[in-house]
């Protein structure tokens, strides 16, 4: 086992153990702190412009965190140190993981060890039958699908790879993990279209958009009926759908499933320029009540007394705006856009990469994470997955340069 794979092994295994240091850190993050000085090379910023842009975005985010916490809201040291530490860890993680996950063998080992970690370790959030598949089985299934897709696509078995994706998508929908099911399905569609050289035109976009909308509504109607009849899904899905005024309206399901978005919108409207600060507490419970309204639930006094209620967001992008205002949001949006540009380039030009369907899924998952996952994902999950995208982007560009000496980096890089 070489030093990179040894580092991956330690990083994944230590990500199951927490220590109390400036809030709670994983031991894997302490490993990143120790490794960063030996990994960072100043010349990397010139060689890899996207890495430089991402690090600049995170430094700008850290600046706005300091401005909001110290000059605007007068935050407590405990809260602002936790907020700043998360961004510093994200910076170091991007540096270390980008230099570590820079070849296919190490990336596959990282995916495999992540699967093993998910098998061994069970997060505290897995506390019911409803959450078991979504938060325990689905992450294991995702890594297993990645590894299977790599082998199938490498051997040229595209149809079998697409079959695996569609089958995994249906399985996730049946067991109450809709977001993972959507990612698998969209990944299958993109992989199929890009491998069949489908020419995109305005007429085709309109036609397929209408066709997709019709097929989606039909499929959604059957899904709702099956859930209400207890044929698929779990108690969580059934409860969500039963409380909707019109269960066959997918927008209503989206609203109740992502109610944090609306609560975050209200919090942003109240303090749009500088935000509420790191680990902002919802002392008046105003935003918590908005959340309960969309969930059609009542306030639980015991729950409120037993824990600190933070201003909700459940979105990396919106969370940056909620906590650190417009400046924080723009910094994270800039970071997000760099990842999007690299991902789109791979989707358009990377069909010959053995990891292509895996990269498509990782890219879609990153978009979903930025839009719909808690802000802490910026330090916990985004650096590793974005590092995989970035390394494959530069590998693809380097390969095209070798094939065509006149080729140069895209101007947006």
């Amino acid at each position: 086992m070489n030093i990179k794979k040894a580092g991956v092994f330690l990083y994944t295994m230590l990500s199951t153990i927490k220590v109390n240091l400036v809030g709670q850190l994983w031991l894997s993050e302490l490993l990143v702190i120790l490794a960063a000085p030996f990994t960072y090379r100043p010349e990397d910023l010139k060689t890899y412009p996207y890495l430089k842009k991402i690090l600049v975005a995170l430094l700008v985010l850290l600046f706005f965190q300091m401005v909001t916490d110290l000059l605007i809201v007068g935050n407590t040291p405990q809260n602002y140190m936790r907020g700043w530490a998360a961004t510093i860890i994200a910076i170091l993680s991007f540096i270390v993981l980008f230099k570590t996950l820079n070849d296919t063998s190490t990336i596959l080992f990282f995916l495999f060890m992540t699967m093993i970690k998910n098998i061994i370790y069970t997060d505290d959030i897995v506390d019911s039958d409803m959450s078991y598949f979504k938060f325990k089985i689905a992450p294991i299934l995702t890594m297993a699908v990645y590894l299977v897709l790599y082998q199938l696509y490498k051997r040229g078995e595209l149809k079998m790879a697409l079959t695996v994706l569609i089958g995994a998508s249906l399985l996730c929908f049946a067991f109450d993990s809709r977001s993972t099911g959507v990612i698998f399905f969209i990944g299958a569609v993109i992989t199929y279209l890009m491998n069949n050289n489908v020419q995109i035109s305005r007429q085709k976009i309109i036609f397929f958009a209408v066709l997709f909308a019709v097929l989606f509504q039909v499929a959604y109607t059957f899904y709702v009926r099956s859930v209400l009849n207890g044929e698929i899904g779990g108690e969580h899905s059934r409860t969500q759908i039963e409380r909707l005024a019109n269960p066959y309206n997918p927008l209503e399901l989206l609203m109740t499933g992502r109610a944090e978005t609306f609560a975050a919108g209200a919090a942003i409207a109240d303090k749009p320029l500088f935000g509420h600060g790191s680990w902002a507490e919802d002392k008046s419970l105003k935003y918590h009540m908005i959340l309960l309204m969309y969930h059609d639930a009542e306030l639980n006094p015991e729950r409120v007394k037993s824990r600190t209620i933070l201003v909700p967001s459940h979105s990396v992008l919106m969370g940056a705006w909620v906590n650190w205002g417009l400046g924080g949001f723009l910094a994270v949006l800039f970071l997000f856009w760099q990842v999007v540009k690299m991902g789109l380039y791979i989707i358009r030009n990377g069909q010959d990469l053995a990891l292509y369907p895996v990269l498509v899924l990782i890219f879609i998952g990153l978009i979903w994470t930025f839009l719909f996952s808690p802000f802490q994902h910026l330090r916990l999950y985004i650096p590793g997955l974005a590092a995989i995208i970035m390394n494959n982007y530069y590998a693809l560009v380097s390969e095209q340069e070798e094939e065509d000496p006149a080729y140069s980096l895209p101007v947006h890089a």
Side-chain angles (χ1 to χ4, degrees):
M1 182 182 293
N2 61 32
I3 190 169
K4 288 194 298 184
K5 290 184 179 178
V8 167
F9 176 83
L10 290 173
Y11 180 82
T12 52
M13 290 297 100
L14 293 178
S15 66
T16 64
I17 304 172
K18 291 180 181 178
V19 293
N20 289 317
L21 182 65
V22 193
Q24 286 191 327
L25 294 180
W26 299 99
L27 279 183
S28 57
E29 294 174 330
L30 292 181
L31 178 67
V32 164
I33 294 172
L34 295 174
F38 304 98
T39 307
Y40 174 72
R41 297 288 183 272
E43 57 268 24
D44 289 339
L45 301 183
K46 183 177 181 180
T47 307
Y48 307 107
Y50 275 119
L51 176 63
K52 179 181 178 180
K53 291 180 181 181
I54 286 173
L55 296 181
V56 167
L58 289 170
L59 287 172
V60 172
L61 171 63
L62 184 60
F63 169 77
F64 282 107
Q65 287 178 301
M66 293 178 176
V67 169
T68 294
D69 288 329
L70 296 179
L71 303 181
I72 306 301
V73 302
N75 213 339
T76 64
Q78 180 185 15
N79 283 344
Y80 69 64
M81 289 299 291
R82 287 194 291 177
W84 302 358
T87 303
I88 293 171
I89 291 295
I91 292 171
L92 299 179
S93 295
F94 266 104
I95 292 171
V96 173
L97 293 175
F98 174 68
K99 296 302 290 289
T100 301
L101 302 174
N102 58 0
D103 63 81
T104 300
S105 175
T106 306
I107 290 171
L108 292 173
F109 186 67
F110 173 74
L111 298 176
F112 173 74
M113 288 308 306
T114 302
M115 181 180 69
I116 298 300
K117 183 262 291 187
N118 289 334
I119 293 172
I120 296 173
Y121 175 75
T122 302
D123 196 280
D124 294 338
I125 197 171
V126 182
D127 57 2
S128 66
D129 292 340
M130 178 278 294
S131 64
Y132 189 78
F133 185 90
K134 183 174 183 179
F135 297 110
K136 176 66 176 180
I137 302 301
I140 298 171
L141 176 66
T142 297
M143 294 301 122
V145 167
Y146 286 174
L147 296 172
V148 170
L149 286 177
Y150 167 76
Q151 294 297 333
L152 292 174
Y153 195 81
K154 182 182 179 181
R155 297 202 299 259
E157 298 180 18
L158 177 61
K159 291 183 179 179
M160 183 59 69
L162 295 175
T163 301
V164 168
L165 275 173
I166 296 299
S169 175
L170 294 175
L171 181 65
C172 289
F173 276 112
F175 285 93
D176 216 6
S177 184
R178 293 188 297 260
S179 58
T180 306
V182 168
I183 291 171
F184 283 150
F185 180 78
I186 295 176
V189 172
I190 291 175
T191 302
Y192 171 79
L193 292 177
M194 299 310 295
N195 274 276
N196 286 276
N197 297 316
V198 176
Q199 299 299 315
I200 304 299
S201 64
R202 181 183 301 177
Q203 291 77 12
K204 286 184 178 179
I205 291 175
I206 295 174
F207 172 77
F208 282 111
V210 173
L211 180 62
F212 175 79
V214 173
L215 292 177
F216 174 81
Q217 186 61 50
V218 171
Y220 179 74
T221 300
F222 279 106
Y223 169 78
V224 170
R225 288 180 179 175
S226 298
V227 170
L228 293 177
N229 292 333
E231 297 170 0
I232 62 173
E235 185 62 30
H236 176 64
S237 289
R238 192 153 45 252
T239 301
Q240 274 192 335
I241 290 174
E242 285 176 347
R243 68 173 175 242
L244 301 179
N246 178 11
Y248 297 102
N249 182 354
L251 293 179
E252 287 194 33
L253 181 61
L254 180 64
M255 290 172 64
T256 191
R258 288 291 178 262
E260 292 89 349
T261 302
F262 300 95
I268 289 170
D270 287 340
K271 294 186 177 181
L273 294 181
F274 296 103
H276 297 257
S278 299
W279 291 84
E281 184 178 349
D282 186 6
K283 295 180 180 179
S284 68
L285 300 180
K286 172 183 177 179
Y287 311 113
H288 183 63
M289 294 301 295
I290 294 174
L291 198 64
L292 295 177
M293 178 184 70
Y294 280 100
H295 286 167
D296 194 22
E298 296 182 357
L299 183 67
N300 185 335
E302 294 301 321
R303 182 174 180 271
V304 171
K305 290 180 182 178
S306 63
R307 57 178 293 187
T308 300
I309 304 297
L310 301 179
V311 178
S313 64
H314 216 278
S315 165
V316 173
L317 282 166
M318 294 193 72
W321 202 341
V322 166
N323 292 312
W324 306 293
L326 181 60
F329 168 74
L330 292 176
V332 176
L333 180 63
F334 180 76
L335 187 159
F336 173 61
W337 180 236
Q338 306 315 304
V339 175
V340 167
K341 287 194 291 185
M342 288 186 288
L344 290 177
Y345 186 85
I346 290 173
I347 286 176
R348 290 194 302 265
N349 304 286
Q351 291 84 358
D352 291 336
L353 296 173
L355 278 169
Y356 182 74
V358 177
L359 296 173
V360 170
L361 291 174
I362 287 176
F363 176 55
I364 299 169
L366 277 169
I367 293 177
W368 190 275
T369 299
F370 271 101
L371 296 178
F372 300 120
S373 293
F375 188 83
Q376 290 302 308
H377 279 53
L378 183 63
R379 93 180 209 237
L380 296 175
Y381 302 111
I382 289 176
L385 299 179
I388 293 173
I389 293 293
M390 195 170 1
N391 273 309
N392 278 275
Y393 166 81
Y394 281 113
L396 181 60
V397 169
S398 177
E399 181 180 303
Q400 292 177 336
E401 283 181 324
E402 291 178 2
E403 294 175 356
D404 181 5
Y407 180 87
S408 60
L409 279 173
V411 294
H412 58 247

